Amino acid sequence: MPSPVPVTRLLPKDLYPSVDIGTCSSPLTKHSHGSATLQVPVQRLHGRVASRLWSSVIHWKELRSMQPVGSGGFGSVYKAEYLGSTVALKKVKKCTKNKLASRQSFWAELNAAHLRHRNIVRVIAATTCVPASFGDESSIGTILMEFVGSRNLQQIIYGRAEPLGEDRWLRYSTDIVHGLRFLHSHSVVHLDIKPANVLVSSEDVCKIADFGCSLKLDHGSEMSPISPHLSHVGGTYTHRAPELLKGEGVSPKADIFSFGITLWQLISREQPYTGDRQHVLYAVVAHNLRPCVQNLPVFESEQGRLCRTLLSRCWSGEGRCRPSAEELLPQLEQLRPLR
């Protein structure tokens, strides 16, 4: 069954009058060197030419070799072949406890679908129209994305099998900030930046994934109030900005706070907090609790002290005191000569 949310929520306004629910796909174009990119279709609408970067319909007969690679609170991810290329397929499932939140999560996944950047996972197609042979009653919709790989930063940080020296964590953190700068420049706030939501490609490039908590701010707005109708806003409590915990407005600075916690994890390879969840939430807001930088040797070097200063700015309790992603990039660059 298609979602009751209207198709106008899924497609740009200049496209939805001509939506063909039958077969409207953006095929992958295979290049001679073996790589695949998305071919942008061009349509003539009411005498105008319009284009979009992703499709509202999936050619289900072209899907092959689906293999499960992971699952989360709102869906399962599969590796598959689509039109001759490897893709990731995400089924967004209904949450029996909060059906509204799971539906909102699906639409939030598409907030960055029209954007293209090397540090953001690319959406190829998305639809709520799923044939019985591919779907199930618990599925709200399906999203096809580029297949980045099976590794994420969470696995690299805590798996301990791979070295994570200064050059590597600095490169990873710079990748994340480049992605955030691009998202924020297009008024998209991710709201769930954490190591598990940063995929690492075979070329060792970080790509921001999982936009299920994201919000699209009004054009030209730097902050948006949290609507009481939005059940999915929040993200992971260990990385959630204090203003979100207090129910205040959403701004790109919430992502900067989450990045600060993620950067600390990249450097220390430790868990940010221990103890009861509610105690941590209360302490973050009321007592300015943050991950420890005092007793870790990695923060005692000259570079470590600069990192401590950078972290304290990123996870400031006041959003206005945090740097923007644009301001973070040169600050990260300043760490490089110290290696």
Side-chain angles (χ1 to χ4, degrees):
M1 286 289 292
S3 168
V5 181
V7 73
T8 56
R9 289 282 305 278
L10 181 61
L11 296 177
K13 290 182 179 179
D14 60 343
L15 289 174
Y16 65 73
S18 69
V19 169
D20 175 8
I21 299 300
T23 56
C24 174
S25 181
S26 302
L28 292 169
T29 300
K30 198 78 172 180
H31 295 297
S32 57
H33 52 74
S35 63
T37 58
L38 189 68
Q39 178 182 355
V40 181
V42 177
Q43 303 180 21
R44 183 167 296 277
L45 303 175
H46 309 297
R48 296 181 297 116
V49 173
S51 64
R52 55 188 157 99
L53 298 176
W54 58 283
S55 172
S56 60
V57 167
I58 296 171
H59 286 290
W60 298 100
K61 292 182 180 180
E62 300 295 335
L63 277 171
R64 304 281 189 277
S65 307
M66 288 179 55
Q67 306 168 20
V69 295
S71 61
F74 283 123
S76 300
V77 180
Y78 301 83
K79 179 181 178 181
E81 295 297 315
Y82 184 64
L83 296 169
S85 296
T86 303
V87 298
L89 182 149
K90 183 172 185 177
K91 290 184 178 180
V92 180
K93 63 184 179 182
K94 296 176 184 175
C95 176
T96 54
K97 293 183 179 179
N98 195 334
K99 294 181 180 179
L100 176 60
S102 55
R103 184 174 291 112
Q104 288 173 344
S105 176
F106 173 78
W107 297 107
E109 288 275 10
L110 304 179
N111 279 330
H114 62 294
L115 302 178
R116 296 291 175 265
H117 191 274
R118 73 186 295 268
N119 300 122
I120 297 171
V121 174
R122 178 170 54 93
V123 172
I124 297 169
T127 183
T128 58
C129 302
V130 183
S133 56
F134 282 90
D136 53 63
E137 293 184 359
S138 65
S139 177
I140 290 176
T142 300
I143 303 171
L144 280 186
M145 300 169 286
E146 67 170 309
F147 183 76
V148 176
S150 56
R151 297 186 308 160
N152 61 44
L153 279 190
Q154 177 88 3
Q155 296 164 330
I156 292 174
I157 292 171
Y158 299 113
R160 302 283 179 173
E162 302 180 54
L164 194 53
E166 295 173 358
D167 180 74
R168 200 174 184 194
W169 64 250
L170 186 56
R171 181 161 43 83
Y172 284 170
S173 59
T174 301
D175 278 352
I176 297 170
V177 175
H178 272 294
L180 287 178
R181 179 180 66 170
F182 185 75
L183 289 173
H184 296 168
S185 71
H186 289 81
S187 302
V188 176
V189 187
H190 187 278
L191 293 180
D192 199 16
I193 295 294
K194 61 180 180 180
N197 285 343
V198 179
L199 303 183
V200 183
S201 73
S202 57
E203 292 80 25
D204 216 31
V205 174
C206 287
K207 292 176 179 280
I208 299 172
D210 200 339
F211 284 77
C213 290
S214 68
L215 281 179
K216 184 77 164 65
L217 301 180
D218 292 336
H219 183 68
S221 172
E222 295 184 356
M223 180 174 289
S224 175
I226 298 179
S227 169
H229 302 294
L230 287 175
S231 306
H232 69 295
V233 174
T236 307
Y237 81 94
T238 52
H239 295 67
R240 198 179 307 168
E243 63 268 22
L244 300 185
L245 295 175
K246 293 186 286 186
E248 297 175 356
V250 174
S251 79
K253 296 299 182 70
D255 284 344
I256 302 301
F257 182 94
S258 302
F259 166 76
I261 306 295
T262 300
L263 175 59
W264 181 91
Q265 291 174 278
L266 278 167
I267 298 171
S268 68
R269 305 188 85 164
E270 302 285 346
Q271 295 290 345
Y273 304 114
T274 59
D276 178 75
R277 178 180 183 272
Q278 291 302 322
H279 289 166
V280 169
L281 293 176
Y282 176 78
V284 166
V285 174
H287 301 294
N288 208 36
L289 175 69
R290 300 293 185 269
C292 179
V293 295
Q294 301 299 326
N295 302 319
L296 295 175
V298 69
F299 289 107
E300 296 305 319
S301 65
E302 184 179 355
Q303 184 193 42
R305 287 190 286 272
L306 285 177
C307 287
R308 287 167 59 177
T309 301
L310 184 60
L311 288 170
S312 66
R313 293 190 64 208
C314 287
W315 61 39
S316 169
E318 296 289 335
R320 58 184 175 79
C321 297
R322 298 172 206 149
S324 65
E326 182 78 31
E327 293 167 336
L328 269 176
L329 287 172
Q331 294 177 27
L332 289 171
E333 282 294 324
Q334 289 176 3
L335 300 178
R336 292 187 181 278
L338 300 174
R339 296 197 309 271

